[in-house]
Amino acid sequence: MQTVKIIVQGRVQGVYFRAYTRKTALKLSITGTVKNRSDGHVEIIATANTMAMEDFIKWCHKGPLLAKVTDVSISPLTTVESFNSFDIID
């Protein structure tokens, strides 16, 4: 299992990015959180096995239909977070 912080930039707020992120994460059995940041980016903390994480990161590069992702940065976190589900943080 690995835990990463993903920052998604572009037109990612107001396009249901968080809801689709949660739906995709649940489909891939990923746990963690997603939230809008004040700088207009979306921040994701995700815990998953390597294969699921690769698929999730690929999805983050495109996002939902109305999104326009311009950049995705991924930072591995040294401690594996323990989440029970995948939650949207307001």
Side-chain angles (χ1 to χ4, degrees):
M1 297 296 275
Q2 60 180 314
T3 301
V4 296
K5 178 191 279 189
I6 304 168
I7 305 296
V8 185
Q9 298 179 38
R11 187 176 68 211
V12 293
Q13 291 190 13
V15 294
Y16 301 100
F17 198 96
R18 292 178 300 158
Y20 280 99
T21 299
R22 182 176 186 276
K23 181 178 178 179
T24 302
L26 293 174
K27 185 172 89 172
L28 295 171
S29 299
I30 294 173
T31 59
T33 61
V34 60
K35 68 178 181 178
N36 285 339
R37 293 184 1 167
S38 61
D39 60 7
H41 306 329
V42 168
E43 178 179 309
I44 303 163
I45 305 293
T47 299
N49 65 48
T50 303
M51 184 176 280
M53 190 66 78
E54 287 175 6
D55 290 344
F56 186 64
I57 289 170
K58 274 187 212 171
W59 180 87
C60 287
H61 278 86
K62 57 181 179 165
L65 186 62
L66 296 175
K68 183 170 176 22
V69 176
T70 58
D71 190 49
V72 176
S73 62
I74 301 143
S75 306
L77 299 178
T78 54
T79 55
V80 176
E81 296 284 335
S82 179
F83 298 103
N84 295 324
S85 63
F86 196 93
D87 298 315
I88 296 172
I89 299 174
D90 290 326

